[in-house]
Amino acid sequence: MTESAADLWLADLLGPGYQALTLELGDDPDGESPIAATLVRREPRSDDPPATASVLYVHGLSDYFFQTDLADAFAARGYRFYALDLRKCGRSRRPGQTGHHITDLRRYDLELEWAMSRIAVDMPDAPVVAAAHSTGGLIIAWWAQRRRQRAVGTPLTGLVLNSPFLDLHGSALLRTVGTGALRGVAAAVPGRMVPLPPSSAYGDSIHLSRNGEWDYNLDFKPLGGFGVTFGFINAVRRAQADLHRGWDTGTTSLVLRSDASALGGDYRPEVDRADCVLDVHQIAQWAGCLGGRLTSIPIPGARHDVFLSQPDARATAYAELDEWLRFNESRLKPDPVIAP
């Protein structure tokens, strides 16, 4: 892989206050070369408290980084904020590439470790928390598990997982026999699209042009999402199967999710107060497999991305994040010396 010169941070599409750095990753093992990744950083502002730590954020499926409110929230707690658009996602997707297609989630280690090394240039020896949404939560938790086993690189001091994709919702038959059949198709034709019923319920609930309040690039995050390849969903199932055997990420984790799911169908008001993408009971069930100290919190009335929820649920999510960050920071400080 070849990195652009370290000073080639360019103006980001988010506008003033954000910069982007591109990493050319070279040939694609999945046959859609060349591939690249993009690191975005929020520039410090005069009213920010001094940064004493960093956070690396990773988006989910059919997504990219645009959540500037989240960046501001971390900055207000003294975190320098960075976000990574993974290969073939958002800013990093090149013409002709299949959005988000990858056949092994472990390949993302390449850009994740690059992002960590680049953060260390700005913030040497500072603690780093990794945060992620949905599929990104599965990706970074598995990465954290392998980093702990390798014991290399800057250690992570916490994980913030926003509705992580820890299991495939549907019948038990789909998750067992169906997964076996999926593996066979993925081996033969990894780039073939899984025939899923179209749904824009989630996009319709959050985008400004429909029923939401968020404005983002619909080329990067379509209302109905990108199609899912057999190779990609097989890679997800492989990671989930490994998780279900139990991990030890070596750090403390915060898992935030909605308190209810409203799966399937078109947009309806119920979607605004529930997760319409994942089964929240599965998130609750499997979160304990992350290992380490875990805080798992249901947010009443939250959407799939809890930080894109309606104002009351969003405020609760940010309050829980703030409380957890305070706890995590206190845990990392040396114990006070008590005189005998």
Side-chain angles (χ1 to χ4, degrees):
M1 64 182 178
T2 57
E3 181 183 345
S4 304
D7 60 353
L8 283 184
W9 285 94
L10 304 176
D12 184 59
L13 57 85
L14 290 173
Y18 286 87
Q19 296 177 315
L21 181 66
T22 298
L23 174 69
E24 299 296 336
L25 295 169
D27 291 336
D28 179 18
D30 294 308
E32 295 185 338
S33 303
I35 49 175
T38 310
L39 187 64
V40 179
R41 70 179 176 188
R42 178 189 181 277
E43 297 180 84
R45 301 174 189 170
S46 59
D47 56 347
D48 289 342
T52 57
S54 302
V55 59
L56 174 62
Y57 173 80
V58 178
H59 57 82
L61 175 64
S62 295
D63 209 350
Y64 74 106
F65 170 64
F66 66 92
Q67 298 90 335
T68 56
D69 287 355
L70 181 63
D72 292 344
F74 273 106
R77 284 292 307 152
Y79 286 78
R80 187 82 189 269
F81 185 89
Y82 299 81
L84 183 65
D85 276 13
L86 300 166
R87 66 186 72 183
K88 305 183 195 176
C89 305
R91 300 164 178 82
S92 304
R93 188 182 178 202
R94 300 296 181 256
Q97 292 181 341
T98 306
H100 297 250
H101 174 59
I102 196 168
T103 58
D104 189 338
L105 301 188
R106 291 169 292 190
R107 289 178 181 150
Y108 289 131
D109 287 10
L110 192 61
E111 53 255 55
L112 287 164
E113 290 298 339
W114 165 70
M116 289 288 284
S117 67
R118 193 56 194 78
I119 290 170
V121 173
D122 291 346
M123 298 283 292
D125 302 319
V128 181
V129 167
H133 172 53
S134 197
T135 308
L138 178 67
I139 290 167
I140 69 163
W142 203 18
W143 169 58
Q145 155 84 353
R146 291 191 299 281
R147 293 184 99 246
R148 184 197 63 80
Q149 293 173 335
R150 294 194 300 263
V152 296
T154 304
L156 296 170
T157 56
L159 299 177
V160 176
L161 307 181
N162 168 7
S163 302
F165 188 15
L166 305 184
D167 202 357
L168 185 68
H169 66 78
S171 68
L173 186 65
L174 175 65
R175 298 198 304 274
T176 53
V177 175
T179 294
L182 171 71
R183 189 176 302 118
V185 178
V189 282
R192 178 179 293 177
M193 292 292 173
V194 180
L196 297 173
S199 174
S200 63
Y202 181 55
D204 288 345
S205 74
I206 60 175
H207 196 265
L208 187 64
S209 67
R210 300 300 178 97
N211 301 281
E213 58 183 290
W214 308 99
D215 191 15
Y216 52 82
N217 189 324
L218 293 177
D219 290 330
F220 292 173
K221 183 179 174 65
L223 291 176
F226 288 102
V228 177
T229 64
F230 279 96
F232 176 84
I233 197 64
N234 183 58
V236 167
R237 293 300 285 154
R238 188 183 306 147
Q240 290 171 341
D242 198 62
L243 165 70
H244 298 170
R245 289 189 285 269
W247 286 346
D248 181 2
T249 60
T251 189
T252 182
S253 301
L254 170 66
V255 174
L256 299 174
R257 59 177 173 85
S258 180
D259 64 338
S261 291
L263 301 172
D266 297 326
Y267 173 81
R268 65 273 189 202
E270 181 186 2
V271 167
D272 288 324
R273 308 287 301 176
D275 190 325
C276 65
V277 178
L278 297 181
D279 184 336
V280 298
H281 297 103
Q282 290 178 330
I283 299 174
Q285 176 183 358
W286 295 114
C289 288
L290 294 168
R293 187 190 293 267
L294 171 71
T295 304
S296 181
I297 301 174
I299 305 297
R303 291 187 175 114
H304 176 51
D305 187 331
V306 300
F307 298 115
L308 299 183
S309 299
Q310 292 187 327
D312 62 326
R314 186 163 75 239
T316 301
Y318 277 118
E320 294 291 358
L321 173 64
D322 189 68
E323 181 176 336
W324 182 84
L325 288 173
R326 290 177 186 275
F327 160 77
N328 198 45
E329 291 156 7
S330 67
R331 184 185 63 85
L332 294 172
K333 293 177 181 177
D335 292 332
V337 177
I338 302 175

